[in-house]
Amino acid sequence: MYNMTIRLQQNSDKCLYEQIYEHIRHEIWEGKLLAGERLPSTRSLAGDLQVARSTVDYAYEQLLSEGYIEAKPCKGYFVCPMEELLQLEPDVVEKDDTQDSQQGMTLAKETVSVPDYNFAPHGIDMSAFPFSVWRRIHKTILNNGNEELWARGDAQGDYDLRVTISRYLHSSRGVNCAPEQIVVGAGNDYLLMLLEKILGRHVGIAMENPTYMRTWRIFRSFAYNVITVPMDESGMMVTALDKTEARVAYVMPSHQFPTGTVMPIGRRTELLRWANKDENRYLIEDDYDSEFRYRGKPIPSLQSLDENGKVIYIGTFSKAIAPAIRISYMVLPQPLLEVYRRDCYFYSCTVSRIDQGVLNEFIRDGYFERHLNKMRKLYRTKHDLLLQELVPFAKKFNVSGEHGGLHLLLTAKGNVSERELVDKAEAVGVRVYRLSDSCVEEIPHRRATVLLGFGALAEQEIQEGIQKLKEAWL
Amino acid sequence: MYNMTIRLQQNSDKCLYEQIYEHIRHEIWEGKLLAGERLPSTRSLAGDLQVARSTVDYAYEQLLSEGYIEAKPCKGYFVCPMEELLQLEPDVVEKDDTQDSQQGMTLAKETVSVPDYNFAPHGIDMSAFPFSVWRRIHKTILNNGNEELWARGDAQGDYDLRVTISRYLHSSRGVNCAPEQIVVGAGNDYLLMLLEKILGRHVGIAMENPTYMRTWRIFRSFAYNVITVPMDESGMMVTALDKTEARVAYVMPSHQFPTGTVMPIGRRTELLRWANKDENRYLIEDDYDSEFRYRGKPIPSLQSLDENGKVIYIGTFSKAIAPAIRISYMVLPQPLLEVYRRDCYFYSCTVSRIDQGVLNEFIRDGYFERHLNKMRKLYRTKHDLLLQELVPFAKKFNVSGEHGGLHLLLTAKGNVSERELVDKAEAVGVRVYRLSDSCVEEIPHRRATVLLGFGALAEQEIQEGIQKLKEAWL
């Protein structure tokens, strides 16, 4: 039998049983203790090592539970067969693991040159956010929150929050829905993943060109057949849509990204009519920034016109509150709600219940409405300022996409490429964005167009940035 | 030309332009104003109605932007073609919408009878959670949090948090990974959805039987071919796995749910060997409750034995902190990390950055470790108490799955059905859970087995509950 000599360190940070356990495990790994070999009895080993028998018992326990050794009744402890262990040859070794992980590092930490003036279309202004209110609600909820708050919540999101959202949607967007139709999730991307499970696989889905490329990529990552449909000044051309295999159409009727088109009522009804032709057809209405209209009342949602449960309405709080608030929601029409309940009930909600609670109070107690009004004013001021600053560009550019959202479009009248415009701007420390970045496929004979987002910039920055663009472009 | 008579209410809560806008819109909907019809000029209408011209301008603006009317230069305003609108016949009407939504209501609010003693296998104890600490960290983060905190974060999760998690995983679970390999997400369900995109479609995936049914349902909801592989006392039988089409195997080596099996080192290496045979083979290690071992040290993770990037390690904070904390993480091996970076970079992170920040400090500053130690003691006490209370059952039942996790299994020696056991228990106000609820397909000739979870119950409740079970079963 194997004679075990273990040098135990009394003043090691590892307790004795651990040292014994690790020694034996090491011997097994090293092949010094071979499969089938018998270990000394706990009593004898305890004697040899001058330790309490329970210490050895404990070490053996651990080796047993990890499967290094086995106990045979009335026979003792034996080393388990380990040949697999030793045969573990690296068949498929990652060639240069460290280097890859280095690349990973750089990739993750990569920093792109930061422009002085970044007209990012998705930038928003957090300066006016009522942090104090948000904090206070947070605090009260954490203080008063019963244990229930920490338990797994409703898969669709807490009922109270859904009631609040449905009320808000009804009053502000004309959306008609019961709280039961609402599914709360951590961001649109997640909700679309869920929608994939509801709508099923191999769905033909129509998108406008240009469109919101993030969503396009997500649909592409599904087993979807993504069909791009041309758009005119009213949005997606239903005549073209009709000729496709699509059974779902994704649109942003209140404010199409990137063109800023507001879909007229006529086109909306055309779309609904298209959807009504087949019971498997649906419309996804992405109402991402409808809160921000600077003329008249907000455009009522497409869902508010829907009488036959054809519209899947998706909204987010990322724009109106903060991108870090990962809370979006979708309103499922009755038929799809039933599919969700049947096939997706086991996906637990992705939003922490604390955040749900905070948002619920924030909306219910009117802070959201007040915040929106403040932001609308704030963005309108920036919007109007930008428009005014762009007047001198009128000779060489057309402005479009105004009166809503957080960006404008500038289309060159002359022959210039978007690349040129962007490079010239970059040269003077201004970043603008090419329309072609939002094009699934290039649109023939279209003029160079760039996007100017004003959400995140201060008024002075807008003025200075445009001043620089003047120098660069005019 | 259409002669417009509008009764304006001066003391209405609707402002004048709104009343004009709504009147005209109504007339169009009603078909009283027909397509192509010309509207009065803003000047004349303003005169007729005795309102400022700007008020009418405003109303027309709104009708324009919603596409009810169009402006023809030098001609005036005309009603847009509306025939689609009027032809909007409900082709596919939801038969009994309200009733459905009623069902929805009941479905959502449905309450099942609450037992006096619920031995739920997934119940956890929140009583010892350091709420005050959590709140304090929350508060400081909300107070000191710069705007950056409110911006969209890294898709994989904040780098600092990933560093903290990788350190924790290394020290506590022997997991070897760089922060770059970690993807943070709102719950395991979401991470699995992401994994579907990484591993691709139509994957043959092997699961043990019995297994964690939530995960099974999720894999089923993917375009996966879910293959159940029998298990012996060491876990998934690799000999059986070898005969399947599976290229991915999902296992819980530290503590299999529901059997509580700890996979011995020999079987682990067998599994790794199976994975190493083909470069497209992977193992998913779900380490859902490995924190809770009551004998010896925690079992090292399967990932810690993996030398060839074969193990996808998934962990969650739902068990160790709270189900409401929707934060899980997965460690991707290098090859899959590259696929993720290529195909999934556009899925934004589903966890709010505030929560990420709180969790980061909670772990980094040692609170998590302290909390775990406290919980381990607390659960061990319950575990030992339950074991001791079950001694009288020895004649009629075998106990298994002890020394770890938050539940035990009780297997009847005699001929009794699980249904009987559950019903008898239910009759005395005790809820226990059938093993068959965790079986994908029934296992022939197996004895009736029930799960007893002790996590959420107080010691006294355990004693009283078991006392009642004695009356019911013995």
Side-chain angles (χ1 to χ4, degrees):
Chain A
M1 192 197 79
Y2 183 81
N3 167 22
M4 200 163 313
T5 50
I6 310 179
R7 261 178 236 78
L8 295 177
Q9 280 128 354
Q10 293 296 348
N11 46 17
S12 149
D13 58 348
K14 287 195 179 121
C15 56
L16 291 172
Y17 102 84
E18 232 173 323
Q19 294 181 48
I20 298 169
Y21 152 79
E22 282 184 356
H23 175 88
I24 298 176
R25 196 184 62 169
H26 180 78
E27 299 286 274
I28 294 173
W29 273 100
E30 293 296 302
K32 290 172 187 156
L33 262 171
L34 294 174
E37 213 162 337
R38 179 157 168 270
L39 294 184
S41 73
T42 54
R43 190 200 279 98
S44 66
L45 183 58
D48 298 349
L49 302 176
Q50 303 283 307
V51 299
R53 187 172 169 185
S54 61
T55 309
V56 179
D57 284 333
Y58 218 29
Y60 278 24
E61 274 270 15
Q62 186 68 23
L63 291 162
L64 271 170
S65 58
E66 293 186 22
Y68 285 98
I69 63 175
E70 54 192 335
K72 292 183 181 162
C74 326
K75 287 214 183 72
Y77 296 98
F78 295 82
V79 177
C80 292
M82 282 290 107
E83 48 276 9
E84 296 88 358
L85 203 51
L86 308 171
Q87 286 173 16
L88 251 192
E89 301 305 339
D91 300 355
V92 204
V93 197
E94 244 326 289
K95 276 296 150 284
D96 197 345
D97 212 317
T98 52
Q99 197 209 321
D100 283 358
S101 124
Q102 283 313 313
Q103 288 169 357
M105 176 87 70
T106 44
L107 210 149
K109 289 185 164 294
E110 188 184 0
T111 51
V112 282
S113 76
V114 180
D116 309 334
Y117 307 95
N118 187 352
F119 287 86
H122 297 295
I124 71 162
D125 188 334
M126 287 301 295
S127 63
F129 185 73
F131 291 103
S132 53
V133 175
W134 192 266
R135 277 189 212 105
R136 203 182 60 238
I137 299 177
H138 234 298
K139 213 175 138 214
T140 36
I141 286 199
L142 284 170
N143 289 332
N144 316 341
N146 50 11
E147 290 206 2
E148 208 243 308
L149 185 71
W150 299 83
R152 183 193 292 276
D154 186 315
Q156 281 182 248
D158 289 349
Y159 193 77
D160 296 353
L161 175 60
R162 288 188 279 136
V163 170
T164 305
I165 290 178
S166 66
R167 290 208 183 113
Y168 163 70
L169 286 179
H170 184 70
S171 63
S172 74
R173 309 291 304 123
V175 170
N176 308 308
C177 70
E180 286 69 29
Q181 292 174 260
I182 295 178
V183 179
V184 174
N188 287 20
D189 304 2
Y190 170 73
L191 289 177
L192 293 175
M193 286 168 113
L194 210 49
L195 203 51
E196 180 194 15
K197 310 292 173 218
I198 297 170
L199 291 172
R201 265 160 248 298
H202 312 298
V203 172
I205 189 157
M207 295 185 83
E208 291 149 320
N209 184 33
T211 188
Y212 188 35
M213 288 309 283
R214 169 181 289 273
T215 307
W216 181 81
R217 288 192 194 92
I218 287 170
F219 285 143
R220 286 289 301 264
S221 78
F222 300 164
Y224 276 9
N225 167 26
V226 184
I227 303 154
T228 50
V229 173
M231 57 187 298
D232 58 18
E233 68 291 341
S234 301
M236 182 178 279
M237 294 172 70
V238 179
T239 47
L241 173 62
D242 246 329
K243 297 191 184 73
T244 69
E245 293 292 290
R247 73 172 181 85
V248 177
Y250 169 92
V251 287
M252 299 163 269
S254 313
H255 188 244
Q256 203 265 358
F257 188 88
T259 62
T261 305
V262 175
M263 189 180 286
I265 189 77
R267 183 61 56 90
R268 291 173 189 235
T269 51
E270 261 188 89
L271 266 179
L272 286 166
R273 209 165 45 133
W274 171 85
N276 284 328
K277 280 194 199 144
D278 181 308
E279 71 172 305
N280 290 319
R281 287 185 178 174
Y282 290 99
L283 301 168
I284 301 175
E285 174 177 26
D286 185 345
D287 214 16
Y288 69 106
D289 74 352
S290 56
E291 296 86 358
F292 304 122
R293 286 278 306 163
Y294 314 125
R295 289 279 194 85
K297 331 209 318 294
I299 312 293
S301 67
L302 177 61
Q303 201 267 6
S304 65
L305 298 171
D306 176 26
E307 292 171 330
N308 308 321
K310 285 305 187 175
V311 174
I312 302 154
Y313 179 91
I314 297 186
T316 177
F317 292 102
S318 299
K319 284 259 177 206
I321 296 183
I325 307 295
R326 308 297 300 145
I327 308 185
S328 296
Y329 50 88
M330 66 178 166
V331 179
L332 291 174
Q334 213 41 246
L336 295 181
L337 181 61
E338 279 145 32
V339 179
Y340 167 82
R341 290 236 166 92
R342 192 189 66 221
D343 300 346
C344 301
Y345 64 93
F346 43 79
Y347 288 109
S348 34
C349 185
T350 45
V351 183
S352 106
R353 300 191 71 189
I354 291 123
D355 292 357
Q356 292 188 57
V358 176
L359 179 62
N360 181 34
E361 289 196 22
F362 190 73
I363 303 174
R364 194 198 56 208
D365 299 353
Y367 297 109
F368 186 52
E369 203 53 50
R370 251 164 281 157
H371 174 57
L372 280 182
N373 293 333
K374 203 195 304 168
M375 294 313 290
R376 237 176 254 118
K377 282 200 200 69
L378 199 147
Y379 285 140
R380 178 188 291 112
T381 316
K382 293 182 180 187
H383 166 270
D384 297 350
L385 172 64
L386 179 55
L387 269 182
Q388 168 203 321
E389 292 294 318
L390 288 176
V391 169
F393 290 67
K395 283 177 257 53
K396 289 188 162 188
F397 295 90
N398 289 323
V399 177
S400 60
E402 61 271 61
H403 306 328
L406 302 179
H407 74 280
L408 294 176
L409 293 88
L410 221 46
T411 303
K413 293 176 175 173
N415 257 332
V416 56
S417 78
E418 289 175 0
R419 170 60 44 221
E420 274 176 74
L421 291 172
V422 169
D423 291 347
K424 282 182 175 171
E426 203 73 34
V428 294
V430 180
R431 179 159 299 156
V432 298
Y433 294 78
R434 305 182 301 157
L435 180 65
S436 50
D437 292 341
S438 302
C439 290
V440 178
E441 57 226 19
E442 245 328 322
I443 300 152
H445 321 303
R446 71 168 182 83
R447 297 259 178 213
T449 305
V450 293
L451 279 61
L452 297 175
F454 52 83
L457 293 170
E459 295 178 41
Q460 196 190 343
E461 290 175 310
I462 292 175
Q463 286 170 313
E464 292 169 359
I466 297 301
Q467 189 52 47
K468 290 205 169 292
L469 279 186
K470 246 185 252 169
E471 297 156 17
W473 291 350
L474 303 186
Chain B
M1 192 197 79
Y2 183 81
N3 168 20
M4 200 162 315
T5 48
I6 310 179
R7 260 178 238 78
L8 294 176
Q9 280 130 352
Q10 292 296 347
N11 46 17
S12 151
D13 57 349
K14 289 199 178 117
C15 54
L16 291 172
Y17 101 84
E18 230 173 325
Q19 295 181 47
I20 298 168
Y21 153 79
E22 282 183 357
H23 175 87
I24 298 176
R25 196 182 61 170
H26 181 77
E27 299 287 273
I28 294 174
W29 273 101
E30 294 297 303
K32 291 174 188 155
L33 263 171
L34 293 174
E37 213 160 337
R38 179 155 168 272
L39 295 184
S41 72
T42 53
R43 188 198 280 101
S44 65
L45 184 58
D48 298 349
L49 300 176
Q50 305 282 308
V51 299
R53 186 170 170 187
S54 62
T55 309
V56 179
D57 283 334
Y58 218 28
Y60 279 23
E61 275 272 14
Q62 186 68 24
L63 291 162
L64 270 173
S65 59
E66 293 185 19
Y68 284 98
I69 63 175
E70 56 193 331
K72 293 185 180 161
C74 326
K75 288 215 184 69
Y77 296 97
F78 296 82
V79 177
C80 291
M82 283 287 107
E83 50 274 9
E84 296 90 357
L85 204 52
L86 308 171
Q87 284 173 17
L88 247 194
E89 300 306 337
D91 300 353
V92 205
V93 197
E94 243 329 287
K95 277 294 151 289
D96 197 343
D97 211 318
T98 53
Q99 196 208 330
D100 282 359
S101 122
Q102 283 315 313
Q103 287 169 358
M105 176 83 72
T106 46
L107 210 150
K109 289 187 164 299
E110 186 184 3
T111 51
V112 283
S113 75
V114 180
D116 309 336
Y117 306 95
N118 186 351
F119 286 87
H122 297 295
I124 71 163
D125 187 336
M126 286 301 296
S127 63
F129 184 73
F131 292 102
S132 53
V133 176
W134 191 266
R135 274 189 214 107
R136 205 182 59 236
I137 300 177
H138 235 298
K139 216 178 134 204
T140 36
I141 286 199
L142 284 171
N143 288 333
N144 315 342
N146 50 10
E147 290 206 4
E148 208 242 311
L149 184 71
W150 299 84
R152 182 192 292 275
D154 187 314
Q156 280 181 249
D158 288 350
Y159 194 78
D160 296 354
L161 175 60
R162 288 187 279 135
V163 169
T164 305
I165 290 178
S166 66
R167 289 205 184 114
Y168 163 71
L169 286 179
H170 185 72
S171 64
S172 74
R173 310 290 305 123
V175 169
N176 307 309
C177 70
E180 286 68 28
Q181 292 174 261
I182 295 179
V183 179
V184 174
N188 287 19
D189 304 1
Y190 170 72
L191 289 177
L192 293 175
M193 285 168 113
L194 210 49
L195 204 51
E196 179 194 16
K197 310 294 173 215
I198 298 169
L199 291 172
R201 267 162 243 299
H202 311 298
V203 172
I205 190 157
M207 296 186 82
E208 292 149 319
N209 184 32
T211 187
Y212 188 33
M213 288 308 283
R214 168 181 289 273
T215 307
W216 180 81
R217 288 194 193 93
I218 287 171
F219 285 143
R220 285 291 300 266
S221 79
F222 299 165
Y224 277 9
N225 167 24
V226 184
I227 303 155
T228 50
V229 173
M231 56 186 300
D232 59 16
E233 68 291 343
S234 302
M236 181 178 280
M237 295 173 70
V238 179
T239 47
L241 173 63
D242 246 328
K243 298 193 182 72
T244 70
E245 295 290 290
R247 73 173 181 86
V248 176
Y250 169 91
V251 287
M252 299 164 268
S254 313
H255 188 244
Q256 203 266 357
F257 189 88
T259 63
T261 306
V262 176
M263 189 180 285
I265 188 78
R267 182 59 57 88
R268 291 172 189 235
T269 52
E270 258 189 89
L271 266 179
L272 284 167
R273 207 164 48 134
W274 170 84
N276 284 326
K277 280 195 199 140
D278 182 309
E279 70 171 304
N280 291 320
R281 286 184 179 175
Y282 289 99
L283 302 167
I284 301 175
E285 173 177 28
D286 185 346
D287 213 15
Y288 69 104
D289 75 352
S290 57
E291 296 87 358
F292 303 121
R293 287 279 305 162
Y294 313 125
R295 289 281 192 84
K297 323 189 355 270
I299 312 291
S301 66
L302 176 62
Q303 201 267 7
S304 65
L305 297 172
D306 174 25
E307 293 171 331
N308 308 322
K310 285 304 187 177
V311 175
I312 301 153
Y313 179 91
I314 296 186
T316 176
F317 292 101
S318 300
K319 283 257 174 207
I321 295 182
I325 307 295
R326 308 297 301 146
I327 308 185
S328 297
Y329 50 89
M330 67 179 164
V331 179
L332 291 174
Q334 211 44 242
L336 295 183
L337 181 61
E338 278 144 34
V339 180
Y340 166 82
R341 291 236 165 95
R342 193 190 64 220
D343 300 344
C344 301
Y345 64 93
F346 44 79
Y347 287 109
S348 35
C349 185
T350 45
V351 183
S352 102
R353 300 191 70 189
I354 292 124
D355 293 357
Q356 292 189 55
V358 176
L359 180 63
N360 180 35
E361 288 196 23
F362 190 73
I363 303 173
R364 194 198 55 208
D365 300 352
Y367 297 109
F368 185 53
E369 202 54 49
R370 250 164 282 157
H371 175 58
L372 280 181
N373 293 331
K374 204 196 303 167
M375 294 312 291
R376 238 178 253 115
K377 284 200 199 67
L378 200 146
Y379 285 141
R380 178 190 289 112
T381 316
K382 294 182 180 187
H383 165 271
D384 296 351
L385 172 65
L386 179 55
L387 269 181
Q388 167 202 319
E389 292 293 319
L390 287 175
V391 169
F393 291 66
K395 286 176 255 53
K396 289 190 163 186
F397 295 90
N398 289 322
V399 177
S400 60
E402 62 271 62
H403 308 327
L406 302 179
H407 74 281
L408 294 176
L409 291 88
L410 221 46
T411 303
K413 293 176 175 174
N415 258 333
V416 57
S417 79
E418 288 175 2
R419 172 57 47 219
E420 275 175 75
L421 290 172
V422 170
D423 291 347
K424 281 181 176 172
E426 203 73 33
V428 294
V430 181
R431 180 158 299 155
V432 298
Y433 294 79
R434 305 182 303 155
L435 181 65
S436 49
D437 292 340
S438 302
C439 291
V440 179
E441 57 225 23
E442 247 325 325
I443 300 152
H445 319 305
R446 72 169 181 83
R447 297 261 177 212
T449 305
V450 293
L451 278 61
L452 297 175
F454 53 82
L457 292 170
E459 296 179 38
Q460 196 190 342
E461 292 176 308
I462 293 176
Q463 286 172 313
E464 293 169 358
I466 298 301
Q467 190 51 46
K468 291 208 167 290
L469 280 185
K470 246 185 249 169
E471 298 157 15
W473 292 351
L474 303 185

